[in-house]
Amino acid sequence: MAIKLKILAGSTIDDCEAVDYQGGKPVDVNNPHFTGQVAVLLKNDEQSHPYFNDESNKGITWSIQLCGVLHDDDVDCDNLVFGNQFSHPIRQHLPWGSAMAVKFIKYLDPTLTEDLQSDTPWAFSPLCSTVERLNVSDNSDTSKMKNEQDLIIEEDISCLIHKDETSKPKCGNASARKKWFKSESRRKGLNLSKKRVAFDFAKGFINFSTLSLSFPEIGLNIGLLKHWDGQPVRFYLRNRNTGVDYAVIQFIIEDVGQDAPAQTKQLAEEKNIGTDN
């Protein structure tokens, strides 16, 4: 049986609303630090959003998109980060191959920092060097994202790069932008305050129907469900200098399905989570 997920988005873990991750309708996020919207899309084998039919999204299975204005005065391209943090330790539940997977992800994204052994394990990267699409502008309009039928963000960071900058990344080229921002010196002091930031964090290594992690490049496939400890998976847009969270997106398992491992079913029952679709 397929796994059922609930996805929430908002300003804090206690101030969230449900996200339509098949239709792509954005959710508003409003707080003193950030005003904008969040959209989440998951690829479904039976029915998928038109986003996944775009040639540029070949191989993508999920997407988290945010669009909004950062109100803080002290946010730059180095301290604006995106990633995960858990509320409780996961070190006893990490599957075999986790270290290899982290090493491979760091190969793809050298700016990733993490501590999966801590009591509140985390993994974050500077936003500008990790997301698949990034659009930054001086336009402070926070009214809405693109129509949910066309959630393709146009890559553009031209407002951040001085026209006389040497070796500047080619405009509209995400790979060049990621490579450019690998350098901490290029990120530091590059101001994002009061700017409109839109990004697409899109990946292809998770199958949400089976909750499995796959890296065919290194021959690694991990069934995550049997290692699940009952915690939600939470993504944060954060200022790592101040600790301010601008937005949070929560992935919560509502039903583990009849095909789940026995220990997973037992844990689901203890936490009053469904075991039958």
Side-chain angles (χ1 to χ4, degrees):
M1 294 288 186
I3 297 159
K4 286 185 179 178
L5 292 175
K6 176 170 65 175
I7 300 179
L8 306 174
S11 295
T12 69
I13 60 175
D14 298 318
D15 179 23
C16 285
E17 63 177 284
V19 175
D20 175 9
Y21 55 83
Q22 292 183 332
K25 185 176 180 179
V27 168
D28 291 331
V29 178
N30 296 296
N31 57 63
H33 308 280
F34 177 81
T35 303
Q37 294 185 310
V38 179
V40 180
L41 294 170
L42 302 186
K43 190 172 185 179
N44 187 312
D45 292 338
E46 297 177 359
Q47 182 180 3
S48 292
H49 189 277
Y51 168 93
F52 295 105
N53 297 329
D54 191 274
E55 182 63 27
S56 65
N57 293 325
K58 185 177 180 179
I60 296 299
T61 58
W62 56 292
S63 165
I64 298 174
Q65 300 188 21
L66 278 84
C67 177
V69 174
L70 299 159
H71 301 307
D72 291 347
D73 294 323
D74 57 352
V75 56
D76 68 13
C77 286
D78 189 57
N79 59 36
L80 183 66
V81 297
F82 188 73
N84 302 101
Q85 183 158 16
F86 292 88
S87 298
H88 306 289
I90 60 172
R91 49 183 171 261
Q92 300 299 323
H93 302 277
L94 290 172
W96 180 92
S98 295
M100 187 186 307
V102 170
K103 188 175 181 179
F104 181 67
I105 293 173
K106 284 186 174 182
Y107 168 77
L108 299 176
D109 178 9
T111 61
L112 176 72
T113 56
E114 50 79 27
D115 185 356
L116 300 184
Q117 300 297 322
S118 75
D119 289 339
T120 55
W122 55 271
F124 284 93
S125 293
L127 181 79
C128 60
S129 58
T130 194
V131 297
E132 277 56 50
R133 294 184 178 95
L134 178 63
N135 185 294
V136 182
S137 74
D138 294 319
N139 176 9
S140 59
D141 178 20
T142 62
S143 59
K144 59 190 293 187
M145 299 177 71
K146 279 193 170 186
N147 186 285
E148 53 263 31
Q149 297 302 315
D150 183 27
L151 290 171
I152 307 294
I153 292 171
E154 181 181 353
E155 174 80 21
D156 187 357
I157 59 163
S158 55
C159 74
L160 295 177
I161 309 299
H162 193 276
K163 64 180 181 180
D164 296 328
E165 185 78 54
T166 59
S167 304
K168 60 184 178 182
K170 183 179 179 181
C171 183
N173 188 310
S175 297
R177 180 253 306 161
K178 289 182 182 182
K179 184 177 180 180
W180 170 266
F181 281 124
K182 284 181 183 179
S183 170
E184 181 182 14
S185 63
R186 286 175 177 156
R187 301 192 305 265
K188 279 186 173 295
L190 202 56
N191 186 36
L192 292 170
S193 300
K194 310 302 188 293
K195 293 187 183 297
R196 183 178 182 271
V197 176
F199 69 86
D200 185 359
F201 183 80
K203 304 295 179 183
F205 51 77
I206 298 180
N207 183 326
F208 284 96
S209 297
T210 59
L211 210 60
S212 59
L213 185 70
S214 178
F215 295 102
E217 298 90 342
I218 56 175
L220 185 63
N221 188 64
I222 301 173
L224 298 175
L225 196 56
K226 64 181 180 181
H227 302 284
W228 174 61
D229 66 350
Q231 290 191 72
V233 175
R234 295 182 177 126
F235 290 85
Y236 294 88
L237 180 64
R238 173 177 294 174
N239 185 323
R240 64 176 166 187
N241 282 355
T242 64
V244 167
D245 290 327
Y246 299 110
V248 58
I249 301 95
Q250 306 185 69
F251 286 65
I252 300 170
I253 295 178
E254 282 196 308
D255 192 326
V256 298
Q258 285 287 16
D259 295 337
Q263 64 187 36
T264 303
K265 288 184 180 181
Q266 182 178 349
L267 177 61
E269 290 172 0
E270 292 172 359
K271 295 183 175 295
N272 197 30
I273 295 171
T275 57
D276 190 359
N277 289 335

